[in-house]
Amino acid sequence: MSNTKEIKAHIKSVHDTQKITNAMYLIASIKLRKARNDLQNTRPYFEAVKEEIKRVFRTVKDVESRYFYPMGVDDAAYDAQKTCACLVITGDKGLAGAYNQNVVKKAMEVMDAHAHTRLYVIGERGRQFFTGRDIPIERSFLYTAQNPTFRRARIITSNLLDLYDAGEVDEIYVVYTDMKNALESETICTRLLPLHRGQFTSPVEEKEVLHPFEFHPSEEAVLDSVIPPYLAGFTYSAMVASFCAEQSARMNAMYAANTNAEGILEDLTLQYNRARQAAITQEITEVSSGAKAQTRKHNSAKEASQP
């Protein structure tokens, strides 16, 4: 059994670690609250953009766009294409449970399904994973995971759109993490381009448009001008959702660490009390034995002095 000095040092070490995990828990909760507020403040704009796209399809049902599947073409015909760009959103830091591992695992599944995949990575953890396995990365967006802004999302989307418009890639995917609730998150792979018309049509029969809109210079041009900000908004939402999921995962990890620390402290306190009691008992035993020895010595000397 360890002595009391070693146990006290161990208890102090656990307390110091617990202070760090408590601080990380509080920081993650503050970041999570701020990111949620930012997303809620910007969401109405992007919802309005989506409604405008729906309105275009409701007004002109046969409109064509390079950002959409052609009418009458099945998705499967395009899923078979081998060239795609994949935007992978990970975190810059660890200590977030399986958050980063789940993202890179989903990204590897996309790469297995497409023989020619061009990787675009957000987050230092994703960059380290792919670099360590000699998997080429087209571009890594540094410091974006910890500070998701619409400006950065627009830059990232613009780079991906340039590839799509130039015909260098046939599809664009986004791998990110979305929060289902405060305790559960889901890693999602979403096809960013090409879009499907079903995403902007309602299964319920909509009212007939009595006063059709006039599009200038054309329906296709209007639709093509609306799609880039919509995609930038989706990318920004994915970045913020991933950031929220990362902070939630870190909060859960730190909460579990604090709970484990409490259990360790209880065991160490019990060990310390036992060791301390054993030391006290040993001291009492030694004092008692010494007193008995002195008494016997005194009695022996007294008997020897008597005639």
Side-chain angles (χ1 to χ4, degrees), residues 104 108 125-136:
V104 296
M108 293 298 292
R125 289 291 173 174
R127 187 190 69 81
Q128 292 179 359
F129 176 86
F130 294 113
T131 302
R133 288 160 178 76
D134 296 326
I135 300 175

Side-chain angles (χ1 to χ4, degrees), residues 11-292:
I11 291 176
K12 182 179 183 302
S13 175
V14 174
H15 274 301
D16 292 341
T17 303
Q18 196 174 30
K19 291 178 182 178
I20 297 175
T21 56
N22 278 326
M24 293 181 66
Y25 178 90
L26 294 175
I27 293 172
S29 64
I30 294 172
K31 289 183 177 181
L32 174 60
R33 191 179 306 113
K34 181 180 182 299
R36 281 179 169 175
N37 290 336
D38 292 342
L39 182 60
Q40 291 298 328
N41 292 335
T42 56
R43 181 166 289 173
Y45 168 75
F46 301 115
E47 290 296 331
V49 174
K50 186 175 182 179
E51 288 299 322
E52 292 304 317
I53 298 175
K54 288 183 178 180
R55 187 175 298 178
V56 171
F57 281 111
R58 192 167 68 248
T59 305
V60 186
K61 298 184 181 299
D62 58 348
V63 63
E64 294 288 353
S65 172
R66 65 181 182 276
Y67 298 125
F68 285 83
Y69 286 115
M71 292 187 64
V73 176
D74 188 14
D75 291 6
Y78 275 76
D79 290 340
Q81 296 292 335
K82 299 299 182 181
T83 305
C84 76
C86 184
L87 177 64
V88 184
I89 304 177
T90 64
D92 287 331
K93 301 177 181 179
L95 298 177
Y99 168 77
N100 292 301
Q101 291 85 340
N102 291 336
V103 175
V104 296
K105 180 180 178 181
K106 181 70 71 173
M108 293 298 292
E109 292 177 1
V110 175
M111 296 180 64
D112 292 339
H114 297 81
H116 304 287
T117 304
R118 304 176 68 169
L119 282 177
Y120 292 80
V121 181
I122 296 176
E124 182 65 18
R125 289 291 173 174
R127 187 190 69 81
Q128 292 179 359
F129 176 86
F130 294 113
T131 302
R133 288 160 178 76
D134 296 326
I135 300 175
I137 299 175
E138 291 292 325
R139 183 172 177 181
S140 179
F141 300 96
L142 301 177
Y143 313 114
T144 303
Q146 289 298 313
N147 185 24
T149 62
F150 180 65
R151 177 179 176 274
R152 293 181 176 180
R154 186 167 52 192
I155 294 173
I156 294 171
T157 306
S158 178
N159 291 332
L160 296 176
L161 281 176
D162 289 342
L163 294 174
Y164 186 83
D165 292 337
E168 296 184 29
V169 296
D170 301 299
E171 295 178 333
I172 300 176
Y173 290 89
V174 181
V175 179
Y176 67 102
T177 308
D178 191 20
M179 286 183 59
K180 287 186 174 182
N181 51 57
L183 298 176
E184 187 178 2
S185 300
E186 180 183 9
T187 305
I188 299 175
C189 177
T190 300
R191 187 186 61 221
L192 191 62
L193 285 176
L195 296 167
H196 193 274
R197 298 168 187 270
Q199 299 174 236
F200 303 93
T201 57
S202 175
V204 181
E205 187 68 23
E206 296 179 345
K207 296 181 180 179
E208 182 181 357
V209 179
L210 301 178
H211 303 285
F213 291 93
E214 293 184 3
F215 300 96
H216 182 79
S218 64
E219 299 89 346
E220 291 81 2
V222 172
L223 193 60
D224 289 348
S225 66
V226 176
I227 292 301
Y230 169 76
L231 298 178
F234 184 91
T235 303
Y236 175 68
S237 298
M239 291 166 57
V240 176
S242 295
F243 182 71
C244 291
E246 179 188 0
Q247 302 310 316
S248 178
R250 184 165 291 113
M251 288 174 61
N252 293 334
M254 294 304 102
Y255 178 81
N258 287 333
T259 303
N260 293 336
E262 291 293 340
I264 294 174
L265 288 174
E266 289 181 2
D267 292 339
L268 289 175
T269 301
L270 182 60
Q271 292 180 27
Y272 175 77
N273 291 335
R274 287 176 176 174
R276 184 170 176 270
Q277 186 64 42
I280 293 173
T281 302
Q282 183 177 358
E283 290 179 2
I284 293 175
T285 302
E286 291 175 353
V287 170
S288 177
S289 299
K292 289 181 179 180

